[in-house]
Amino acid sequence: MGRKEKKDKDHKDDVCWLSVHGGVAALLLCIAVFALLVRVAVSIHPYSGAGDPPKYGDYEAQRHWMEITLNTPAKEWYRNSTINDLTYWGLDYPPLTAYQSYVHGLFLRFFHPDSVALFTSRGHESPIGKLLMRWTVLSSDVIVFFPAALYFIIVFYTGRRDNCKEDIAWHLAIILLNPCLILIDHGHFQFNCISLGFTIGAVAAIFSKHELVASVLFSLALNHKQMSAYFALAFFSHLLGKCLRRQKPFLEVLKLGLVVLGTFIITWWPYLYSVDAFMQVLSRLTPFERGIYEDYVANFWCTTSIIIKWKRLFTTQLLQLLSFNATILAALPSMVQQIRYPSNQGFLYALLNISFAFYLFSFQVHEKSILLPLLPASLLAVEEPHLFGWLTYYALLSMYPLLLRDHLILPYVSLLALFILFNYSPIRRQGRKERGFLSVWKVLLITLLLSCSLVLHLIYLMLKPPERYPFLFDAMIMLLCFSQFVLLAAYTNVKQWKFMSHSTSIEKEKKIL
Amino acid sequence: MEGELTSSRRVAHRSTREETEKEKNRIPGSVTAIEELIWFAGVATCIKLLLIPSYRSTDFEVHRHWLALTSSLPLSQWYYDETSPWTLDYPPLFAYFERFLSIFANLVDTKIVDLHNGLNYSADSVVYFQRISVMVSDLCLFYGVYRLTKSLDSAKRRMIWVLIVWSPALIIVDHVHFQYNGFLLGFLLISLSYLEEGRDLMGGFVFAMLLCFKHLFAVAAPVYFVYLLRHYCRGGLVNSIGKFLMMGTVVGSVFLVAFGPFLYHGQIQQVLRRMFPFGRGLCHAYWAPNFWVFYIISDKGLAFVLAKLGFSIQTPAASFTGGLVGDSSPFAVLPRVTPLVTFMLVLLALSPCLVKVWREPRPGMITRWVAYAYTCGFLFGWHVHEKASLHFVIPLAVVAVRSLEDARHYFLLSIVSCYSLFPLLFEADEYSIKVLLLLLHSLLTWVGFSSQFSKTTVVSTKQQGEKMGSKEGLVAAKGGGLVVGWVRICYLLVLLFVEVWGQFLHHYLLGDKLPFLPLMLISIYCALGIMYSWIWQLRFIIRCP
């Protein structure tokens, strides 16, 4: 009897270990430092296009942008000239990226001028150059993404009664240790952390009822990477829905519109002196000549092209129209839901659903775009831990061919393992209640899917595809991932609508009370 | 719909839970402990995997060469081979271990074990193979930790795991710099766990094995000898002699297995010569933070002062690291130090502890005593490597959770010892890694100790139901936390300054002048911390009733 009591006490101690007594702040700090350590450890691995002339990869693109922004006036950044050859990694991201490149260029020039010298630095590769470049991403992550994630966590959990402190810590860890984001930013080399960080910040601002701040932050995200437009409809419909429920809806909408416009004007200022200059930048940002999809991305167009050869059957213009309509159609239910019943939880689902709609149906999608649906999924991780785990796993699989090309297989494996460990940490598991049982069929299905993906990993790594179908394995990975993405998207759409009726009933109850 | 899509994780989730619950009914707590340890070890292994391509020292080539040497030469030539400057200088059991690894190395890539073509081989295959061999051999460490902590309550257990399994010093030395310390320390921990359980024979056996793996662990042999003599060989005269003979047979047979083949070939002298290269100097190239740093500095200081006062002081030609070449002393004023002097000093420093062990051999104290022995060896030994601080920092982690005093001492010691390893990784790439590792470690240690000790004080002072308790705990943690003491805080802040000086200010203010100053500062300053730890441990051992 005494032993049992002791055991129970131990169990309670387990749950509260570190978190309750030690204070949450210190624990969150530990997690942030650990996440940074993981990023630094990944950054010693190769980047995309390392030692692969003449075009190299995204690393060279970013370095080249630093070189160009540093050595030419802002007006020339998006214009083809003798100095700025747009065919060689020309700048095709919005102005905020250009400013960020400029600042990072200053940083590089201070420590190692050779790495950003005009012309001579093309294809520059050196250990110190790599280190400095890695530090530009690491610092952006720490300056933008980490505080945004913390801001979100604080806003999300203040005022909640039922929160367990370990949930808070776990949630932060899950957001910060997203393997896909770390691999793309700190392995492959990109600056997704900035635009995604601004987006998280905007979400948090909406949660804390600072709509104007949210508009500014999201405009910044849009101005850093046009891909953030995947979220734009969700933000638009949620804010519109909220404004419509206020006393002066028109004024509220006007206020938000002016703030957005103001932010855009400030970031685009150097290009607003003439319509021509403006259009020049805009045309750089929308490379419609590129085709409907790239490589083997697990979206609708690419997957169905196994049966229907879209690229051959239709002109690019027609495909643009087709994909535009399909995207809007897929995003419409979520938008309507948010306009009619805007709520915080529903908003997160809308973000997920609409970005999924863009990923699956929009024009010119590449593998890395899966990072966008992953972001709202990670914000929903506490509510939908299984969905998030499943999505992350297949998102990672969908980027497997890309990461393999970059020689990032080792960080791929270790980050996947780390993710699984954190997602199912024993410390968290003890605190949570178990619910629901699974039928044998579901267990079988899941085992089948998991083993399928594992086998695909191995096949892709070890075997050579048959000569007639050189991309057979890519297509298989794509097919598997697409099937999962579609299922997940369907589920979250249904969930969002279910959620609406649930939340409205609560709100009604509140009103009655 | 919901179930179908999200159930995946629930399966694994529930099945393991059910298992654990079943197991719990059978053996209370044990399976969850293993599961948790696997989690801790798994997280550490992920980080270790990520660090595979990082900087590696010449020790990497040393161990690769030993793989080649043991696999391609007959045993009789192992200790004679001079194909590479990195001759075999570990005891035979480690050579057998390398021979064992070379079987797999041969399967992975035959060039790894090629004696001549494999020299300085650095292809991916060899890097992955050797790095992963260290990670796998760490299982030994995990087992040792598990054995030592399985009977503790879960909070303490986890704290110890954080300290040992996530030890930044071990990651820096083993998984970046490259060595097999985790594996060897695992044997030490296993041995200690047997002694703490009272199973002395097994403890002695494992320790004998450890000595045959790496003889530097022999510093604790006097403590082991006295302890086993007084604790194991008890009872009547006949009984104790019988037990003494028993222990002698067990230990002797381990040594016989290890050294026997070389004895058979008549090479014992050569083996010992390789194992004890006294041709090396008093200090390693980078001065380990021990007593001799002060000795050298005071010699320099005295020489400077005396020269100012008008005495003629000859600057010595020999260096401290150069060894006993010729007859010239590396010291200008103070008497010269020989290996014998250092040996006597170590014994002298150990003697109070040995007296304690002799008087009252208690299993609960053995970890402290052994750690103290290694501290003495580190402080006063001949040609000590900075890595040797692991020998006492890791075992001390086990006792760090026992009292608030212990925790305070360990907090400082672990930071100092890890910081003293920083010069091992001197390349820019690894700089942020080592800093973050240490930062994370100190944060985790602080948070863990704070929660543990604020909780215990609350439990002891107030017992007004669980809810009240946790609230009070929060207050206590906020108010007190781990009260490290302002002296220790100041010490750590100056440590930070030493680092900032070495990394940035020195270059900025002095340019290329005095290039040795940053490293010297680290040595001296860390030596202060280690000295403090030595005095603290000595005081604790003497005071302990």
Side-chain angles (χ1 to χ4, degrees):
Chain A
M1 194 60 208
R3 179 185 273 177
K4 192 172 180 298
E5 272 172 19
K6 189 183 169 293
K7 220 177 79 189
D8 284 347
K9 204 174 147 286
D10 278 358
H11 189 78
K12 265 177 194 147
D13 286 353
D14 279 346
V15 177
C16 303
W17 185 76
L18 277 183
S19 46
V20 175
H21 296 289
V24 190
L27 194 61
L28 295 186
L29 192 62
C30 286
I31 289 168
V33 172
F34 179 75
L36 186 61
L37 175 69
V38 171
R39 283 163 165 76
V40 172
V42 170
S43 78
I44 60 177
H45 290 261
Y47 45 82
S48 67
D52 182 25
K55 280 283 262 188
Y56 302 93
D58 276 351
Y59 173 88
E60 170 64 7
Q62 297 286 350
R63 197 209 53 72
H64 180 69
W65 293 352
M66 292 176 197
E67 171 197 336
I68 290 299
T69 49
L70 203 60
N71 293 302
T72 55
K75 283 176 191 169
E76 299 293 319
W77 288 349
Y78 291 89
R79 202 185 289 278
N80 204 9
S81 67
T82 49
I83 301 174
N84 187 8
D85 175 13
L86 286 183
T87 55
Y88 182 81
W89 296 119
L91 194 53
D92 54 5
Y93 276 19
L96 199 57
T97 292
Y99 305 142
Q100 164 244 314
S101 294
Y102 176 73
V103 173
H104 286 152
L106 288 175
F107 170 75
L108 255 74
R109 189 164 68 181
F110 182 78
F111 287 103
H112 191 232
D114 288 354
S115 60
V116 283
L118 192 61
F119 298 130
T120 55
S121 68
R122 269 198 194 178
H124 177 92
E125 288 185 303
S126 64
I128 178 77
K130 177 185 171 187
L131 190 68
L132 291 172
M133 288 287 281
R134 291 297 199 194
W135 267 98
T136 60
V137 192
L138 285 168
S139 58
S140 314
D141 220 342
V142 172
I143 292 169
V144 182
F145 194 80
F146 279 50
L150 262 177
Y151 179 32
F152 173 80
I153 290 290
I154 291 167
V155 170
F156 195 68
Y157 285 97
T158 41
R160 277 190 162 203
R161 282 240 182 107
D162 56 332
N163 57 13
C164 180
K165 298 222 160 66
E166 70 191 25
D167 263 354
I168 302 178
W170 181 80
H171 201 173
L172 183 72
I174 283 299
I175 295 175
L176 290 183
L177 288 173
N178 186 339
C180 304
L181 182 60
I182 297 179
L183 281 170
I184 291 296
D185 274 11
H186 302 275
H188 178 86
F189 205 93
Q190 278 194 348
F191 286 90
N192 294 299
C193 52
I194 298 182
S195 59
L196 294 182
F198 281 133
T199 310
I200 292 193
V203 173
I206 284 186
F207 277 32
S208 62
K209 306 214 162 43
H210 294 108
E211 275 93 14
L212 295 179
V213 179
S215 313
V216 172
L217 286 174
F218 185 65
S219 305
L220 289 178
L222 268 177
N223 274 314
H224 190 267
K225 221 169 169 178
Q226 62 269 48
M227 217 159 68
S228 308
Y230 284 23
F231 297 129
L233 292 179
F235 273 94
F236 169 75
S237 45
H238 177 78
L239 289 176
L240 184 68
K242 262 188 172 174
C243 289
L244 292 179
R245 304 182 132 212
R246 301 238 167 94
Q247 286 183 332
K248 294 174 184 164
F250 183 71
L251 193 71
E252 296 281 338
V253 174
L254 194 71
K255 250 165 57 184
L256 290 178
L258 281 177
V259 166
V260 171
L261 197 69
T263 318
F264 267 80
I265 286 176
I266 292 170
T267 43
W268 284 69
W269 188 251
Y271 311 100
L272 295 179
Y273 62 93
S274 78
V275 179
D276 190 41
F278 176 76
M279 289 313 289
Q280 167 67 23
V281 179
L282 206 60
S283 71
R284 289 292 306 159
L285 302 187
T286 46
F288 279 124
E289 69 279 10
R290 265 180 159 185
I292 190 158
Y293 53 82
E294 265 187 16
D295 293 336
Y296 278 80
V297 54
N299 77 348
F300 174 77
W301 306 110
C302 191
T303 310
T304 48
S305 70
I306 296 174
I307 310 159
I308 311 161
K309 300 290 170 207
W310 299 104
K311 280 184 180 175
R312 240 180 281 159
L313 286 174
F314 301 96
T315 60
T316 313
Q317 271 78 24
L318 203 64
L319 279 177
Q320 278 171 25
L321 202 68
L322 210 61
S323 65
F324 179 76
N325 285 324
T327 313
I328 295 295
L329 211 64
L332 209 57
S334 292
M335 288 177 66
V336 171
Q337 194 271 341
Q338 272 308 294
I339 293 172
R340 283 181 59 190
Y341 316 99
S343 68
N344 285 347
Q345 289 300 308
F347 175 52
L348 288 181
Y349 280 97
L351 281 171
L352 178 58
N353 291 333
I354 294 175
S355 51
F356 246 140
F358 273 81
Y359 177 81
L360 291 175
F361 296 107
S362 77
F363 193 78
Q364 229 273 306
V365 174
H366 51 78
E367 306 98 315
K368 288 159 245 163
S369 309
I370 193 64
L371 286 175
L372 289 121
L374 257 183
L375 185 78
S378 74
L379 301 184
L380 279 167
V382 168
E383 259 138 75
E384 302 275 1
H386 307 299
L387 173 126
F388 176 63
W390 201 241
L391 177 59
T392 307
Y393 179 71
Y394 281 98
L396 210 50
L397 176 64
S398 77
M399 295 196 295
Y400 183 63
L402 172 85
L403 295 170
L404 209 58
R405 274 202 299 278
D406 294 342
H407 307 286
L408 290 171
I409 179 76
L410 183 64
Y412 179 94
V413 171
S414 36
L415 282 187
L416 178 60
L418 199 63
F419 173 74
I420 293 170
L421 284 170
F422 265 83
N423 217 4
Y424 303 103
S425 73
I427 295 158
R428 180 176 150 77
R429 194 191 305 157
Q430 286 168 349
R432 293 184 55 230
K433 275 180 272 171
E434 199 48 50
R435 33 172 200 177
F437 284 89
L438 289 172
S439 68
V440 183
W441 286 109
K442 284 174 186 167
V443 176
L444 267 180
L445 185 72
I446 287 154
T447 329
L448 185 76
L449 282 169
L450 278 180
S451 44
C452 247
S453 61
L454 283 178
V455 169
L456 267 179
H457 274 114
L458 290 178
I459 286 179
Y460 198 87
L461 192 65
M462 312 243 184
L463 296 184
K464 264 197 162 180
E467 276 184 20
R468 266 190 71 194
Y469 307 104
F471 297 108
L472 178 70
F473 299 148
D474 298 72
M476 279 159 75
I477 288 180
M478 174 191 74
L479 216 64
L480 183 63
C481 292
F482 176 71
S483 65
Q484 299 309 306
F485 292 158
V486 166
L487 280 174
L488 289 173
Y491 164 70
T492 49
N493 266 297
V494 172
K495 187 83 194 256
Q496 190 188 343
W497 275 90
K498 264 189 189 170
F499 185 80
M500 165 220 58
S501 50
H502 177 67
S503 73
T504 45
S505 64
I506 286 178
E507 273 168 26
K508 272 177 196 163
E509 274 173 32
K510 273 183 188 168
K511 271 176 195 166
I512 293 165
L513 282 170
Chain B
M1 194 69 196
E2 177 185 351
E4 188 176 318
L5 287 156
T6 61
S7 48
S8 63
R9 307 293 151 129
R10 218 173 277 160
V11 189
H13 205 99
R14 207 192 54 246
S15 62
T16 46
R17 255 187 87 85
E18 273 173 7
E19 270 169 35
T20 54
E21 251 153 45
K22 269 183 213 160
E23 294 293 328
K24 257 186 191 170
N25 295 335
R26 264 181 268 151
I27 329 155
S30 74
V31 168
T32 44
I34 288 181
E35 218 181 303
E36 275 178 32
L37 183 59
I38 289 174
W39 187 81
F40 276 84
V43 171
T45 308
C46 287
I47 297 293
K48 292 168 188 173
L49 278 172
L50 284 175
L51 291 175
I52 284 182
S54 60
Y55 156 84
R56 46 188 189 274
S57 72
T58 46
D59 275 344
F60 182 82
E61 169 61 13
V62 172
H63 284 93
R64 193 217 51 78
H65 180 65
W66 291 355
L67 282 177
L69 184 150
T70 49
S71 96
S72 46
L73 289 178
L75 186 132
S76 58
Q77 288 176 33
W78 285 1
Y79 284 91
Y80 281 96
D81 175 75
E82 285 183 348
T83 321
S84 144
W86 316 118
T87 52
L88 185 58
D89 58 5
Y90 272 34
L93 222 48
F94 199 85
Y96 301 150
F97 172 63
E98 293 278 4
R99 176 75 187 88
F100 172 70
L101 286 181
S102 70
I103 300 169
F104 303 101
N106 198 20
L107 295 176
V108 172
D109 183 352
T110 48
K111 204 177 169 191
I112 299 175
V113 291
D114 194 308
L115 193 59
H116 298 283
N117 294 330
L119 285 179
N120 293 317
Y121 189 45
S122 60
D124 276 353
S125 61
V126 62
V127 174
Y128 276 62
F129 175 76
Q130 293 219 77
R131 291 276 200 207
I132 289 174
S133 76
V134 181
M135 288 172 218
V136 173
S137 68
D138 270 352
L139 284 175
C140 198
L141 177 76
F142 302 149
Y143 179 65
V145 176
Y146 172 70
R147 274 202 63 95
L148 261 176
T149 56
K150 63 183 173 185
S151 56
L152 294 174
D153 70 66
S154 66
K156 281 185 180 171
R157 206 166 54 199
R158 280 185 186 160
M159 195 59 220
I160 294 174
W161 293 346
V162 167
L163 296 178
I164 297 182
V165 178
W166 290 355
S167 160
L170 270 180
I171 291 182
I172 287 176
V173 176
D174 279 9
H175 301 277
V176 183
H177 175 84
F178 197 85
Q179 273 190 349
Y180 288 91
N181 288 297
F183 171 66
L184 298 168
L185 284 166
F187 277 95
L188 182 65
L189 296 184
I190 293 171
S191 164
L192 288 174
S193 73
Y194 276 119
L195 291 186
E196 285 201 350
E197 281 170 21
R199 295 166 70 184
D200 292 345
L201 198 61
M202 276 303 285
F205 170 71
V206 177
F207 186 67
M209 275 176 73
L210 175 65
L211 291 188
C212 294
F213 269 112
K214 194 171 181 180
H215 50 301
L216 286 180
F217 282 94
V219 184
V223 172
Y224 261 88
F225 181 76
V226 175
Y227 176 81
L228 290 176
L229 191 68
R230 293 288 293 168
H231 189 259
Y232 180 65
C233 309
R234 275 181 309 190
L237 187 68
V238 182
N239 201 358
S240 57
I241 290 178
K243 278 185 168 177
F244 183 76
L245 287 179
M246 182 73 175
M247 181 62 81
T249 322
V250 166
V251 173
S253 57
V254 171
F255 275 86
L256 197 68
V257 167
F259 287 90
F262 301 96
L263 209 61
Y264 171 77
H265 289 292
Q267 300 174 340
I268 280 299
Q269 273 201 325
Q270 170 67 13
V271 173
L272 291 181
R273 210 176 301 136
R274 281 279 172 87
M275 279 165 55
F276 298 99
F278 278 113
R280 294 181 188 171
L282 175 63
C283 291
H284 194 53
Y286 152 66
W287 306 346
N290 63 6
F291 174 74
W292 301 116
V293 170
F294 297 126
Y295 194 78
I296 293 167
I297 293 299
S298 40
D299 178 66
K300 296 265 180 207
L302 275 177
F304 182 76
V305 171
L306 290 180
K308 284 273 171 186
L309 290 176
F311 293 90
S312 70
I313 303 290
Q314 288 181 339
T315 38
S319 77
F320 311 105
T321 52
L324 297 166
V325 192
D327 286 329
S328 67
S329 162
F331 297 102
V333 185
L334 293 178
R336 131 179 231 193
V337 181
T338 59
L340 189 67
V341 172
T342 62
F343 182 71
M344 296 313 291
L345 259 179
V346 171
L347 269 187
L348 189 71
L350 255 180
S351 52
C353 171
L354 291 179
V355 171
K356 265 290 195 202
V357 182
W358 178 272
R359 278 196 190 147
E360 202 185 353
R362 279 192 298 167
M365 286 292 284
I366 186 67
T367 309
R368 284 181 202 278
W369 289 329
V370 168
Y372 176 73
Y374 287 125
T375 317
C376 294
F378 183 81
L379 268 183
F380 302 107
W382 180 264
H383 194 84
V384 173
H385 282 237
E386 62 279 35
K387 292 157 246 168
S389 64
L390 283 171
H391 296 183
F392 56 94
V393 174
I394 296 296
L396 276 176
V398 180
V399 295
V401 295
R402 288 189 189 166
S403 74
L404 187 58
E405 268 305 296
D406 275 304
R408 285 179 187 153
H409 160 249
Y410 190 78
F411 180 70
L412 187 87
L413 174 66
S414 68
I415 292 176
V416 171
S417 91
C418 178
Y419 179 66
S420 74
L421 297 172
F422 270 23
L424 280 179
L425 315 183
F426 48 84
E427 291 195 0
D429 271 351
E430 282 76 26
Y431 185 74
S432 37
I433 292 177
K434 65 184 183 186
V435 170
L436 285 171
L437 276 172
L438 179 56
L439 186 65
L440 182 64
H441 172 76
S442 15
L443 271 172
L444 279 172
T445 317
W446 196 81
V447 172
F449 281 144
S450 304
S451 73
Q452 191 192 340
F453 291 108
S454 65
K455 202 188 306 174
T456 49
T457 51
V458 166
V459 168
S460 61
T461 50
K462 294 204 173 191
Q463 289 186 329
Q464 301 177 345
E466 289 296 321
K467 273 189 181 174
M468 278 301 289
S470 66
K471 262 190 182 173
E472 291 291 332
L474 209 63
V475 174
K478 269 183 190 162
L482 177 67
V483 185
V484 187
W486 62 271
V487 179
R488 293 190 185 89
I489 294 284
C490 287
Y491 178 83
L492 292 177
L493 285 178
V494 178
L495 195 74
L496 191 69
F497 173 75
V498 168
E499 177 60 15
V500 173
W501 171 270
Q503 287 300 324
F504 311 103
L505 296 180
H506 181 86
H507 183 73
Y508 205 71
L509 297 176
L510 295 179
D512 293 335
K513 275 184 280 178
L514 306 174
F516 56 87
L517 190 64
L519 277 186
M520 208 171 82
L521 273 180
I522 297 179
S523 278
I524 297 170
Y525 200 69
C526 290
L528 275 176
I530 305 276
M531 278 297 248
Y532 154 77
S533 163
W534 174 64
I535 293 167
W536 186 90
Q537 288 183 54
L538 182 62
R539 236 182 45 175
F540 194 98
I541 287 171
I542 290 175
R543 278 190 184 172
C544 202

